[in-house]
Structure formats: C-alpha cells, structure tokens
Amino acid sequence: MAKQLLKILLIFIPVLLFVHCAQIAPLNGGKRDVEPPKLIEAIPANQSNNFNSARITLRFDEFVKLNDLSNQLIVSPKLKTTPEIESDGKTITILLIKNELKPNTTYRIYLGQAVADMHEANAIRNFEYVFSTGPYIDSLELKGLVLDAFNNKPANNTIIGLYHNSENTDSLPYKNVPDYIAKSDENGQFKFTNLPAATFKVYAYSDKNKNYLYDGETEKIAFLDPDLTLSSDSTVRFKLFQEESSKGFIKKTFLPYYGFMQIILNKKSLITLQPLNPRDKENVFETLMNKEKDTVSVYYKNVTDTLGLIFRDQSRQKADTLRITLPKKPPLGKKFKSMSLNSSGGALMLGTQPTLSFLNWMDIQTANPLKISLRSREDSLIGTSPVTGKWLDITHYEISSELKEGVNYNMKIDTNAFFDIYGISNDSIAMSFKTQSRVEYGKATLKLLFNKKQAYIIELVNDKEQVVRRSFIDLPLSSSNAASLDFIDVAPGTYQVKVIYDNNANKKWDTGNFLLKTQPEQIFISSKQIKVLSDWEIEEEISIKE
C-alpha cells in the first residue's frame, strides 16, 4: 500500500509543479492584415476586346466591401445609365445596360479606392476595369497638373473633363457632363488612360456640388485654348481661377447693435451710399468712402425703425434702394462700448501713432485729452508726457503726441475722457504698448531678372500668405530685363517673393474670363525663402520665369 501511494505521488508531483510554473498568456491572432484584396478572376477578363456583356463579375481572394462608391466611381466615356455595382462575399458584380454601349469604343470603369477588404478596410488603390466593344483597346494617356492661378498651389479634387469636339459651343461645361472624366489628387496631378486618338475640348472645374457641370462664378474653372488634338501621350497644365461676378449684389446685412451695420457684398466694388431721406444726410456715416471693398460699414444715428439707403455700384448705371429694419435704440444710461488700441501684440508699428477705435458714433466735440496720460520708463527714470490728440473720423481718435522709438508706454484714460452721441462716457482704462524702433527691422534688396518687358507687381509675402510689401515695376522696351528693388523697415521673418504679370498695367491681379477666353494673369512665386533679420540687410537675386 505504501509503495502504491509512493508511485501515485511520484506521478502527480511533477504535474503539479508544471501547472504551478506555467505562465498564462493571452491568445495572439498574428500580424495585422495590411494587404488589400487581390483580384483573382474577372468575367469577362479585364482588358477584353469585342466586349458583349451586361454583367461583369470580379472575384477576389478575400471578403470585400465598397466604400464611398458615389465619389470614387468614374465611367469614361460616360454612360447614360450609371452601372449598378454590388458586393457579395468575395465577389463584386457590375451590371450594365448593353444597348447603351457604343461600338468600337474603349470603356474604363474606375473604382478608385472603393474596393476594400471586409475586416481591416485595406483598399485597392486606383482599381479599374477596362474593356473595348471593338477589336482593340485605346491606349493613349493624358496626364497633367492643376494649380490655383492665384497662389500656384495644387488644386485637389478638381474635375478634368474631356469633350468630343463634335459641337463647337462654349456652353459645354455648363450643360453637358464630360465624355471622359478624371480627378486631381492632393498634389494636383491627374491622369487619363485608354483614350482614343481624337480632338477634345478640355476643361477643369472645382465642381462643389458634384454634378459634373460648371456652375459659373461659384466655382473655379480652367480651360485649354486651342482644343487638344490627341495623337500621342500628352501632358497639360491648368491654372484654375474664379471668374469675377458679372453683377454685384448684397449677400447679407449685419446689425450687431443700434448705431452700426455692415453690408456684405458678393465681390469687391466701388460703392456709394446716400440716405433715401435727404434729412438723414447728417445721420449716416460710411467708413472707407471711395475705396473698393466687399464690406460696407455704416454708422447711423437719430434714425428709428427703418433706414432707407440709395445704393450705387460705380460699375453699374442703375441705383438700388435698400431698406433696413433697425434694432431698438439703446436706453439712456446704457454702458459705454469698449475701445481698442491699434497695437499688435502690445507693439506699435514703426511710423504709426497710437489710435483709439470706438464701437459707436462718438461726440467729437467733447474729447478731453487732459484726462489721458502717457508714462514712459527710460534709464530707470519715470517720465510723463503731455498728450495731444485729434479725431480722424467719428470712431477714431489719434494720439498726436511725439513718441520715442523703442520705448514702453503706459497710457491711462480717466473716466469721462470720451462721450458717445448719447452722452454715455467711458470708464477708467489702462493700456500698455511699446513703440518699435528702426533697428528692430531689416531690409530686403531684390535683384530681379525678368523674362520679358512689361508691367509687374512685386509682393513680399510672409509665411501666413499675407502681403507685407507691394511695389510696381514697368519695364519699357528700351530698358534692360533687370531691376533692383528695396523693401525697407521689414519685420523679421521668412518671406517669399510673388510676381504678378500685370499685363494691362492696372496695378492689380486680374482673374480670367471663360466666355471671353481670357486666361488669368500669370503669377510667379519664388521658391527661395528670404529670411529678414533685425538691423540687417539681405540681398537676393531672383530670375523670374513663367
């Protein structure tokens, strides 16, 4: 008995030790699948000639699904009826209406990235199925680039349309879906394959509403002129532009509070306003009068309920009448609206005076500069400067006192320094700013070599695509192609040079016009980065080619 017990223990003790020492680990499903599905069979075969079927069956090596098919699918040339496309397990079926297929024509059904595996959503890139109803597959290619005409940046997701040159009309992109369609990628690049040797009208447009038509001034467009005769593989480039609206109109009005409103226009225009009631002439004030703008800011007073305005666009002969319902007049004793200073980040730009901006029509007879004080700290000594000032208009008060460069100032405005037209005065407020000095700025000298003699606009553009300096050069035929340009007092930063070919010498960039077959004015942007440093001069040579 004892021997049997010993045998049992000798058997079970190792087992118990093994169980005790074993590590419990979670199950591992293996490496993540990153491969897209593979096409293993197509019926009829891809690249088939003499195609004569209403059904296309595509079989893959794993379960598949269709993603974003409506945006990915492109059939070229277009069919009257969009094919029905469905996925079922490892199969995708494409159903066509056979009698819509033209004879001796190569068709391309482009699915883009729509076909993906079921579980990991790995998509096949640029998947397509090609067939011909004739004895051969068309094989010509057309590729190219779409850039925005104003900044030369790649234009993504732009429709490029080819139209068989069967009807000589400029209404094609407005009324007809292209015969062949491609879309530009994030780099602005596009590619057509399996094209026939033929002559095409070629257009590109932004197609915001995805109807495959050009909808006029709300979208951007580019065109090739003359037409494209395709006899071999070709490359083209488009400059996409937005046409200027042929008619100006008011998009909306904005009235944030009584006494102020903004009229938002659809485009920049030279606008004049006058009250419909002559008695209101002294009660309406338009800012930035006689300047081209797309937003008209108007202050008004002593008008209730409705303000009538006569609205004239100088480019049109007709005057429009505008009636605007006003908000309620503020009650007496309402709090004074805030004021602001024209400093940026606490710094006052070189050559500017501190200017206060108000949000209401001010009483320009009652400003009291004695209630404004300026204190500066230099060499550990505290000094106080007397303040003088003047009204620039009904909402801007400029401090006229002479200020030193590179000095920190504290400005205190006591209560009752300013009153608006309703007799409401400001509360006490303190503001701080620093006047910048010339040594904080740099100088950029540009040595420019042009490829032809004409007028140019030269702009210095910062990394936020803001124009910080602009100059004009007009090279007469008798001059050389070289010119030198100095930009002084430039804030430290990194800049690029933008050159506009000002063909009509009107000192502004002109967009294109589709119906007039006018291309936008060319723009050259230097790839060189110009780094301006404080109290430093940089000289850069730029060769301008477009």
Side-chain angles (χ1 to χ4, degrees), residues 139-166:
S139 59
L140 293 182
E141 291 187 357
L142 175 66
K143 62 182 179 179
L145 183 65
V146 187
L147 301 175
D148 188 288
F150 186 69
N151 55 27
N152 288 349
K153 288 187 175 182
N156 183 24
N157 204 31
T158 299
I159 293 292
I160 299 89
L162 307 183
Y163 298 79
H164 279 298
N165 194 12
S166 56

Side-chain angles (χ1 to χ4, degrees), residues 25 29 51 64 66 84 86 147 309 333 437 457 459 516:
F51 182 93
V64 292
L66 293 168
E84 292 184 20
E86 297 178 348
L147 301 175
L309 296 172
S437 61
I457 303 169
E459 295 178 340
L516 296 178

Side-chain angles (χ1 to χ4, degrees), residues 356-513:
L356 297 169
S357 298
F358 300 88
L359 295 178
N360 212 339
W361 195 316
M362 301 301 295
D363 184 350
I364 62 175
Q365 304 299 325
T366 58
N368 187 353
L370 295 178
K371 290 183 174 289
I372 306 173
S373 61
L374 275 172
R375 297 175 64 84
S376 62
R377 183 181 294 271
E378 293 181 89
D379 301 326
S380 302
L381 297 175
I382 297 177
T384 303
S385 303
V387 173
T388 57
K390 63 180 180 181
W391 287 101
L392 302 179
D393 55 42
I394 63 168
T395 60
H396 293 91
Y397 186 82
E398 180 185 87
I399 305 299
S400 306
S401 305
E402 185 176 346
L403 304 179
K404 297 180 179 179
E405 292 184 5
V407 174
N408 288 297
Y409 285 92
N410 294 323
M411 181 166 63
K412 184 181 178 183
I413 303 173
D414 292 333
T415 305
N416 299 334
F418 299 99
F419 290 82
D420 67 18
I421 57 174
Y422 303 106
I424 305 172
S425 66
N426 66 286
D427 293 330
S428 177
I429 187 173
M431 299 178 176
S432 298
F433 63 91
K434 179 185 177 181
T435 54
Q436 293 184 320
S437 61
R438 188 154 269 106
V439 295
E440 297 179 57
Y441 293 84
K443 178 182 178 181
T445 297
L446 305 179
K447 304 290 186 181
L448 304 169
L449 181 63
F450 299 94
N451 61 346
K452 58 181 179 179
K453 298 172 184 178
Q454 65 159 77
Y456 296 91
I457 303 169
I458 315 298
E459 295 178 340
L460 199 61
V461 182
N462 65 16
D463 54 6
K464 296 180 180 178
E465 298 187 21
Q466 299 168 327
V467 178
V468 298
R469 290 289 189 278
R470 178 183 283 112
S471 188
F472 306 95
I473 292 177
D474 195 350
L475 298 178
L477 294 176
S478 58
S479 71
S480 72
N481 282 31
S484 181
L485 191 62
D486 291 332
F487 288 120
I488 62 172
D489 296 335
V490 178
T494 302
Y495 300 91
Q496 281 184 295
V497 175
K498 181 175 181 178
V499 178
I500 299 172
Y501 285 64
D502 190 14
N503 300 330
N504 56 4
N506 65 349
K507 296 187 177 181
K508 70 174 185 176
W509 179 74
D510 292 301
T511 188
N513 186 291

Side-chain angles (χ1 to χ4, degrees), residues 497-536:
V497 175
K498 181 175 181 178
V499 178
I500 299 172
Y501 285 64
D502 190 14
N503 300 330
N504 56 4
N506 65 349
K507 296 187 177 181
K508 70 174 185 176
W509 179 74
D510 292 301
T511 188
N513 186 291
F514 170 62
L515 293 178
L516 296 178
K517 290 294 181 284
T518 304
Q519 297 284 1
E521 288 182 330
Q522 293 173 292
I523 287 180
F524 168 85
I525 299 177
S526 173
S527 59
K528 292 183 179 180
Q529 300 287 318
I530 298 177
K531 191 169 184 179
V532 177
L533 303 175
S534 298
D535 199 24
W536 197 263

Side-chain angles (χ1 to χ4, degrees), residues 268-272 290-293 312-315:
K268 284 189 175 182
S269 305
L270 184 58
I271 297 297
T272 59
N290 300 320
K291 290 187 178 180
E292 197 174 53
K293 51 192 177 291
R312 285 190 177 90
D313 183 340
Q314 295 301 306
S315 63

